[in-house]
C-alpha cells in the first residue's frame, strides 16, 4: 500500500512564536486523524528547533524547505543535512518551483540536493510541474518526463515522495481539476521504477477541494501552501473525508 503524506509548506511565513501558536490550535484537532496519514509541517528554518521540541512524541513529522548537497562549507545562506537531522527533521522539500524560478535552482542542483537528503536519511519531497505556457503549448507531459529523468539520476526511489505541482495552480486559487491531477500523477508513476512512491498533488489545495482530490486513486496526499498556515484549515485538509 502506498503511504499517504500530507505536508504543509509554510514558505517564508511564521516566526517561532507564530509557529507555537499554530501548534496549540492545530494539534488537538488530530485526535481522530487516521494513523496511516503522515502529517508533515515544513516551517522556516528558524522555527524548526522550537517545533521539534513541541512535536516530540507526536505523530507529526518535521520537514525542511531546502537542503544543500555538501555536508558543510562556504555556502552562505544554505543549510546542511546534519543541521536538519540534529533537530529531528525527517523530510526536505527539494526543487520547489519557487526555488527553481527565483533562486536559480536547476535540475542538476535539484538532483544533488535529492541525493544529499537521502544520504542524511531524510525523505526528499521532489516537486515537478509545468507553467501555464507549457500547459497551453501541450508540453506538460514532455516537461515533466524531462524533469523526472534529470532529477532522479542516482536517487533511491524507495525513499522518495514526489509532488506534482502545476505552477499555474500555486497560490492562484486556480486548482488543477482532480481528474486531470490524477491523470498526470498516473503518468509520473508510469515513469518510476518503484511502484509505491507516494505522489502528492500541490497547488491551491483548500478545505473545499481536498475531499475530491483525495478521492482520486492516483493521488497519495497533498503539498499545501497557503491553506496550511491556518490551523483549522490545515486540520480540515488533514482530516479529509
Ligand atoms: P499553495 O502552494 O497551496 O499556496 O498553492 C502550494 C505549494 O507551493 O507547495
Amino acid at each position: 500500500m502506498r503511504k499517504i503524506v500530507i505536508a504543509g509548506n509554510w514558505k517564508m511565513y511564521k516566526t517561532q512564536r507564530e509557529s507555537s501558536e499554530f501548534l496549540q490550535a492545530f494539534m488537538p484537532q488530530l485526535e481522530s486523524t487516521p494513523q496511516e496519514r503522515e502529517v508533515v509541517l515544513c516551517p522556516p528554518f528558524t522555527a524548526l528547533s522550537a517545533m521539534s521540541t513541541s512535536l516530540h512524541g507526536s505523530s507529526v513529522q518535521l520537514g525542511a524547505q531546502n537542503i544543500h548537497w555538501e555536508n558543510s562549507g562556504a555556502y552562505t545562506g544554505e543549510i546542511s543535512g546534519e543541521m536538519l537531522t540534529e533537530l529531528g527533521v525527517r523530510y526536505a522539500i527539494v526543487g520547489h518551483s519557487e526555488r527553481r524560478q527565483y533562486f536559480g535552482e536547476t535540475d542538476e542542483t535539484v538532483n544533488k540536493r535529492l541525493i544529499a537528503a537521502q544520504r542524511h536519511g531524510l525523505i526528499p519531497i521532489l516537486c515537478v510541474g509545468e507553467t501555464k505556457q507549457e500547459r497551453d503549448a501541450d508540453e506538460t507531459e514532455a516537461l515533466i518526463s524531462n524533469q523526472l529523468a534529470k532529477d532522479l539520476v542516482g536517487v533511491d526511489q524507495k525513499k522518495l515522495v514526489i509532488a506534482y505541482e502545476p505552477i499555474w495552480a500555486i497560490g492562484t486559487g486556480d486548482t488543477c481539476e482532480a481528474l486531470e491531477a490524477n491523470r498526470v500523477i498516473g503518468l509520473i508513476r508510469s515513469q518510476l521504477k518503484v511502484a509505491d512512491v507516494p505522489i502528492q498533488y500541490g497547488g491551491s489545495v483548500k478545505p473545499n477541494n481536498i475531499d475530491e482530490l483525495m478521492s482520486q486513486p492516483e493521488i497519495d496526499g497533498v503539498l499545501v501552501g497557503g491553506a496550511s498556515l491556518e490551523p483549522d484549515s490545515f486540520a480540515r485538509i488533514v482530516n479529509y473525508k
Side-chain angles (χ1 to χ4, degrees), residues 25-70:
F26 177 68
M27 295 306 283
Q29 301 190 54
L30 299 188
E31 265 156 33
S32 45
T33 306
Q35 275 186 357
E36 65 273 14
R37 299 183 190 177
E38 176 100 307
V39 179
V40 184
L41 285 169
C42 307
F45 299 137
T46 46
L48 284 172
S49 179
M51 283 184 68
S52 172
T53 306
S54 311
L55 291 173
H56 189 76
S58 84
S59 60
V60 175
Q61 302 293 344
L62 265 185
Q65 297 176 21
N66 197 5
I67 177 175
H68 194 265
W69 52 88
E70 293 294 344

Side-chain angles (χ1 to χ4, degrees), residues 9 11 96 98 165 169-172 202-206 223-227:
N9 170 15
K11 309 190 180 185
H96 190 280
E98 286 151 15
E165 295 214 306
I170 295 178
T172 58
S204 297
V205 174
K206 305 287 176 204
L223 181 57
V224 188

Side-chain angles (χ1 to χ4, degrees), residues 175-211:
T175 319
C176 183
E177 294 276 337
L179 275 176
E180 174 59 7
N182 188 68
R183 183 186 74 85
V184 177
I185 289 176
L187 286 173
I188 292 174
R189 195 178 309 288
S190 70
Q191 288 188 46
L192 300 176
K193 292 190 206 122
V194 171
D196 56 1
V197 175
I199 309 181
Q200 304 172 310
Y201 165 76
S204 297
V205 174
K206 305 287 176 204
N208 66 9
N209 55 34
I210 185 67
D211 298 336

Side-chain angles (χ1 to χ4, degrees), residues 71-205:
N71 293 342
S72 61
Y75 300 103
T76 303
E78 290 283 328
I79 194 137
S80 77
E82 191 184 358
M83 294 167 186
L84 298 173
T85 53
E86 186 188 34
L87 300 179
V89 171
R90 301 288 300 280
Y91 288 83
I93 298 172
V94 175
H96 190 280
S97 61
E98 286 151 15
R99 300 243 20 119
R100 295 181 192 253
Q101 196 178 347
Y102 306 133
F103 301 101
E105 197 81 70
T106 63
D107 288 313
E108 192 193 345
T109 56
V110 166
N111 175 254
K112 287 173 153 184
R113 292 183 200 273
L114 290 172
I115 290 171
Q118 293 187 335
R119 187 171 73 238
H120 288 278
L122 294 163
I123 299 176
I125 301 176
L126 165 65
C127 303
V128 295
E130 80 287 359
T131 61
K132 177 86 173 69
Q133 250 180 338
E134 287 157 347
R135 173 157 284 262
D136 290 346
D138 244 352
E139 290 167 6
T140 300
E141 289 77 4
L143 181 278
I144 292 174
S145 292
N146 188 42
Q147 282 183 327
L148 290 172
K150 290 181 173 158
D151 296 352
L152 291 179
V153 175
V155 171
D156 180 354
Q157 296 186 7
K158 289 193 222 69
K159 293 169 189 148
L160 175 71
V161 172
I162 294 179
Y164 168 52
E165 295 214 306
I167 295 170
W168 49 270
I170 295 178
T172 58
D174 188 11
T175 319
C176 183
E177 294 276 337
L179 275 176
E180 174 59 7
N182 188 68
R183 183 186 74 85
V184 177
I185 289 176
L187 286 173
I188 292 174
R189 195 178 309 288
S190 70
Q191 288 188 46
L192 300 176
K193 292 190 206 122
V194 171
D196 56 1
V197 175
I199 309 181
Q200 304 172 310
Y201 165 76
S204 297
V205 174

